[in-house]
């Protein structure tokens, strides 16, 4: 099976802009989770979607949002970007307990 | 609040050595404990995982030891190789919390030839 794919791989934005990241899960996986990875805070859970419904949400401000489509593909959106949003954003799709991560989208906010 | 504490932050061993990475957790509701390996520029990849009903699990050169009473678990890498040089993360999740993983801070391992 093909792995988790994320697009774009790299993104540069300026403060105040918004950004949308995309994730295509492994075929057959209905759960998609998003994580933010930074050198200072490590890997932090953003949210999880299962069958188009948000099932869990981490401790991030409302500027971070997501959605999942009927084909299980997911997008996350960050509005009003701040410098501190610069990070690697990872998507993971799940089969039961096991989460398979994509390569991530590297977001740089200038 | 850091619910999973990982140590050490970095580790250097010689080829063939057995690096040991430790994690401690606070939340007694955690019931699934995976370890991930991450290479630069890549996403984390699952290495091995354990549930609290067993005290040890081996997969190839990787072994997890689990101590439920102490709320600690560790990763041992047997016969380590330079190709094992990577960052390792422990994680934990609750059965009733979907697939939300709480990660440790990571350990950067270097295996010298």
């Amino acid at each position: 099976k093909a792995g988790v794919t994320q697009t774009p791989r790299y993104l540069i934005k300026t403060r105040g802009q918004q950004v949308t990241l995309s994730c295509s899960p492994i075929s057959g996986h209905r759960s998609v989770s998003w994580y933010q990875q930074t050198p200072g805070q490590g890997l932090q859970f953003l949210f999880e979607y299962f069958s188009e419904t948000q099932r869990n949400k981490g401790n991030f401000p409302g500027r971070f949002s997501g959605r999942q489509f009927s084909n299980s593909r997911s997008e996350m959106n960050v509005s009003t970007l701040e410098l501190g949003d610069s990070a690697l954003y990872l998507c993971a799709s799940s089969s039961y307990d096991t989460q398979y991560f994509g390569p991530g989208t590297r977001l740089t906010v200038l | 609040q850091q619910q999973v504490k990982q140590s050490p932050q970095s580790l250097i061993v010689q080829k063939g050595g057995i690096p040991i990475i430790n994690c401690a957790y606070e939340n007694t509701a955690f019931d699934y404990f995976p370890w991930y390996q991450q290479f630069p520029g890549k996403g984390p990849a699952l290495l091995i995982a354990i549930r609290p009903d067993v005290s040890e699990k081996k997969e190839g050169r990787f072994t997890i030891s689990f101590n439920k009473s102490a709320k600690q678990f560790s990763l041992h890498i047997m016969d380590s190789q330079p190709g094992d040089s990577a960052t390792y993360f422990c994680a934990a999740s609750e059965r009733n919390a979907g697939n939300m993983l709480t990660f440790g801070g990571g350990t950067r391992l270097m295996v010298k030839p």
Side-chain angles (χ1 to χ4, degrees):
Chain A
K1 287 184 178 179
V4 177
T5 58
Q6 294 187 242
T7 56
R9 292 293 313 279
Y10 302 92
L11 207 48
I12 299 176
K13 292 286 188 179
T14 57
R15 280 181 299 173
Q17 288 187 309
Q18 74 166 13
V19 66
T20 299
L21 312 181
S22 181
C23 172
S24 292
I26 294 170
S27 177
H29 289 188
R30 295 163 63 190
S31 166
V32 173
S33 299
W34 289 89
Y35 294 82
Q36 181 195 65
Q37 185 174 25
T38 60
Q41 299 298 317
L43 278 153
Q44 292 188 291
F45 174 81
L46 280 157
F47 29 66
E48 178 197 5
Y49 286 86
F50 182 84
S51 295
E52 301 179 65
T53 301
Q54 188 179 86
R55 183 155 74 171
N56 284 297
K57 189 177 190 304
N59 189 26
F60 279 82
R63 300 185 297 107
F64 292 82
S65 63
R67 60 177 176 169
Q68 186 179 33
F69 301 96
S70 58
N71 62 358
S72 292
R73 191 177 68 84
S74 177
E75 290 181 346
M76 67 164 282
N77 183 278
V78 188
S79 62
T80 319
L81 284 166
E82 300 178 358
L83 296 178
D85 297 333
S86 294
L88 180 67
Y89 290 89
L90 292 159
C91 166
S93 75
S94 303
S95 172
Y96 299 99
D97 293 327
T98 304
Q99 293 197 44
Y100 301 88
F101 284 82
T105 294
R106 172 73 62 185
L107 172 64
T108 301
V109 182
L110 302 177
Chain B
Q1 180 185 6
Q2 186 182 11
Q3 294 192 50
V4 180
K5 295 183 179 180
Q6 184 172 344
S7 63
Q9 287 187 319
S10 62
L11 190 54
I12 302 174
V13 300
Q14 293 294 133
K15 177 183 175 181
I18 305 176
I20 300 172
I21 304 171
N22 300 298
C23 284
Y25 63 96
E26 300 164 4
N27 185 353
T28 55
F30 285 150
D31 69 345
Y32 175 71
F33 303 89
W35 283 89
Y36 284 85
Q37 179 190 56
Q38 186 177 28
F39 293 104
K42 305 287 187 181
L46 179 68
L47 271 177
I48 186 172
I50 197 168
R51 290 198 175 276
D53 53 348
V54 297
S55 60
E56 186 177 277
K57 183 175 181 180
K58 293 182 181 181
E59 286 188 5
R61 295 185 295 109
F62 301 96
T63 299
I64 298 179
S65 297
F66 187 84
N67 186 329
K68 187 175 181 179
S69 60
K71 293 187 286 185
Q72 295 175 348
F73 57 110
S74 60
L75 176 71
H76 302 229
I77 305 175
M78 306 301 177
D79 187 28
S80 59
Q81 302 296 313
D84 295 330
S85 297
T87 300
Y88 292 80
F89 293 93
C90 62
S93 67
E94 297 178 37
R95 183 180 298 275
N96 297 320
N99 290 303
M100 182 175 71
L101 286 171
T102 299
F103 282 89
T107 296
R108 185 170 293 182
L109 172 66
M110 179 184 295
V111 181
K112 291 189 171 182

